[in-house]
Amino acid sequence: MKTAILISGRGSNMEALLTAAADPDYPAGIALVLSNRPGAPGLDKAAARGIPTLVVDHKQYDSREAFEAAVTDALADAGAELVCLAGFMRLLTDGFVERWRDRLINIHPSLLPAFRGLHTHEQALAAGVRLHGCTVHFTRPAMDEGPIIAQAAVPVHPDDDADTLADRVLAAEHRIYPLAVRLIAEGRARVENERVLVDDAAIPQTPLINPAG
Ligand code: GAR
């Protein structure tokens, strides 16, 4: 499945997807990495792996719609069938999201629907939750909403700060994003009544309990 990745920065989730897609058995190939920010470090990382990259700088456009029209053209040129938001920090219009309905996915650093928006690790620490995590979901017009494809939970440690917690969550992000793309590309994940059904899903049998004793 021809896949495009939209980034704004570091691109570590993009790297996880590129690594997965480098396996000939992986059912998705990365046709384009597009950044709205010219200096995004992820661009060089993708180019170093021989992946086509493109900058569509939102600052060069008068409106969100004009910016998104340029992004849409680039995605069409690349033949993208699936679009992955990976640390893409621009809000998208309803028109763009609806155009890509069920073909546009996002990774968010919390167990949605908890902790939408920014600073999710600070939010989790402030709430005192014992388990935190990350979510890959189909994108809908409302921010950080949409049918959930995969989630990973990690324990919050008593001495965590936002950085240590972010590192633990990020390692989990790098596992579930390639998994979610694989499920979609294999045709095993589909949206029905705004929930995702996964064919032949392997379900873990043990709870993650924190504190463990
Ligand atoms: C990731 O933690 C991702 O979940 C988050 O930004 C980071 C990007 O890192 N995304 C959001 O907060 C979107 N609401 P990366 O550029 O190294 O993948």
Side-chain angles (χ1 to χ4, degrees):
M1 178 173 272
K2 277 195 168 190
T3 301
I5 306 175
L6 270 50
I7 64 169
S8 298
R10 168 180 66 181
S12 71
N13 278 292
M14 171 207 76
E15 284 188 282
L17 291 170
L18 295 185
T19 298
D23 181 339
D25 291 335
Y26 195 73
I30 311 304
L32 178 68
V33 169
L34 185 153
S35 171
N36 67 304
R37 286 191 33 227
L43 285 168
D44 287 344
K45 297 176 189 167
R49 294 177 182 234
I51 304 297
T53 62
L54 187 69
V55 173
V56 180
D57 182 354
H58 62 275
K59 292 187 180 145
Q60 304 295 322
Y61 295 87
D62 291 339
S63 66
R64 249 177 228 285
E65 286 77 9
F67 162 68
E68 291 176 358
V71 172
T72 297
D73 286 348
L75 295 173
D77 287 349
E81 301 165 283
L82 177 69
V83 178
C84 299
L85 305 176
F88 184 71
M89 300 314 247
R90 294 295 294 170
L91 288 177
L92 295 164
T93 65
D94 293 5
F96 184 91
V97 172
E98 287 301 345
R99 182 190 191 103
W100 288 93
R101 192 179 179 88
D102 297 347
R103 298 176 298 152
L104 175 65
I105 65 176
N106 180 49
I107 187 152
H108 181 76
S110 77
L111 289 169
L112 288 173
F115 313 136
R116 296 187 169 111
L118 297 174
H119 310 300
T120 56
H121 311 303
E122 286 88 344
Q123 291 188 57
L125 290 172
V129 294
R130 304 288 182 192
L131 299 173
H132 183 40
C134 48
T135 302
V136 181
H137 64 97
F138 287 103
T139 301
R140 292 291 181 262
M143 190 182 64
D144 301 326
E145 263 190 43
I148 291 169
I149 305 159
Q151 292 186 305
V154 302
V156 179
H157 296 197
D159 56 352
D160 267 335
D161 58 25
D163 290 337
T164 58
L165 186 52
D167 287 348
R168 197 171 308 118
V169 171
L170 193 64
E173 292 184 43
H174 297 163
R175 292 180 58 184
I176 64 167
Y177 216 171
L179 166 67
V181 169
R182 182 162 61 77
L183 293 174
I184 294 167
E186 288 176 345
R188 291 171 55 202
R190 62 183 188 283
V191 181
E192 250 184 58
N193 298 324
E194 287 300 87
R195 293 190 192 188
V196 177
L197 302 182
V198 178
D199 294 333
D200 302 320
I203 307 297
Q205 297 302 317
T206 48
L208 175 57
I209 298 172
N210 181 34

